[in-house]
Amino acid sequence: MRVEFTVNGARQTLDLDARTTLLDALRHHLHLTGSKKGCDHGQCGACTILLNGRRINACLALAVMHDGDDITTIEGLGTPEMLHLLQAAFVKHDGFQCGYCTPGQIMSATAMLQEARAGWPSHASAALQGPVDLSDTEISERMSGNLCRCGAYSGINAAIREVAAGADTAEAAE
């Protein structure tokens, strides 16, 4: 089947078997290997990407279901020369060890920060309305779909907190 979508700002057209997952289309057909195949069951979050601005596990989605959609992978977030704020914060706070889960963690954190700024509550939120306090408990709840087998959670939380605090400061200045 022919599928067209925009990946990291570039229009892509692929002829795929209807059973091809979005993750396999990205990794094997477009050679975007940043998103990892961890469990292939949607349990680890290593394959997290942004689909139309929302985070999903690419291993659970069929590529043909996303014809016309906008996809952002870790390769579209920043470059080695110009890191995204979260990428730089992960480096600064050692939010990775082996690095396998890091692309999924960063993509999930990107969407999570957008959700928190929009006021979306989580199970750990103290209130259903109003600003979200990104405490360690709140961050852990919101990132619970992303596993780090090395246990770099304290660095991950510190990186997310730093970027969230910078975003709050930038919004207050506007």
Side-chain angles (χ1 to χ4, degrees), residues 70-156:
D70 185 44
I71 298 164
T72 304
T73 68
I74 192 70
E75 291 91 349
L77 207 55
T79 66
E81 299 80 27
M82 180 66 89
L83 295 177
H84 181 274
L85 289 174
L86 274 167
Q87 291 170 318
F90 266 64
V91 171
K92 177 181 174 185
H93 293 283
D94 200 23
F96 59 92
Q97 286 181 20
C98 78
Y100 195 82
C101 73
T102 305
Q105 296 276 359
I106 291 172
M107 296 308 293
S108 190
T110 300
M112 185 271 293
L113 289 171
Q114 292 170 355
E115 295 161 9
R117 278 194 290 277
W120 294 9
S122 77
H123 178 72
S125 297
L128 295 178
Q129 296 180 350
V132 174
D133 174 33
L134 288 177
S135 64
D136 280 345
T137 302
E138 185 74 31
I139 292 170
S140 294
E141 170 64 25
R142 290 174 180 267
M143 294 292 292
S144 63
N146 292 82
L147 302 178
C148 174
R149 289 172 176 88
C150 299
Y153 295 113
S154 61
I156 292 167

Side-chain angles (χ1 to χ4, degrees), residues 48-56 70-72 107 110-111:
T48 304
I49 61 167
L50 301 182
L51 179 77
N52 300 324
R54 307 257 328 252
R55 56 183 161 167
I56 69 160
D70 185 44
I71 298 164
T72 304
M107 296 308 293
T110 300

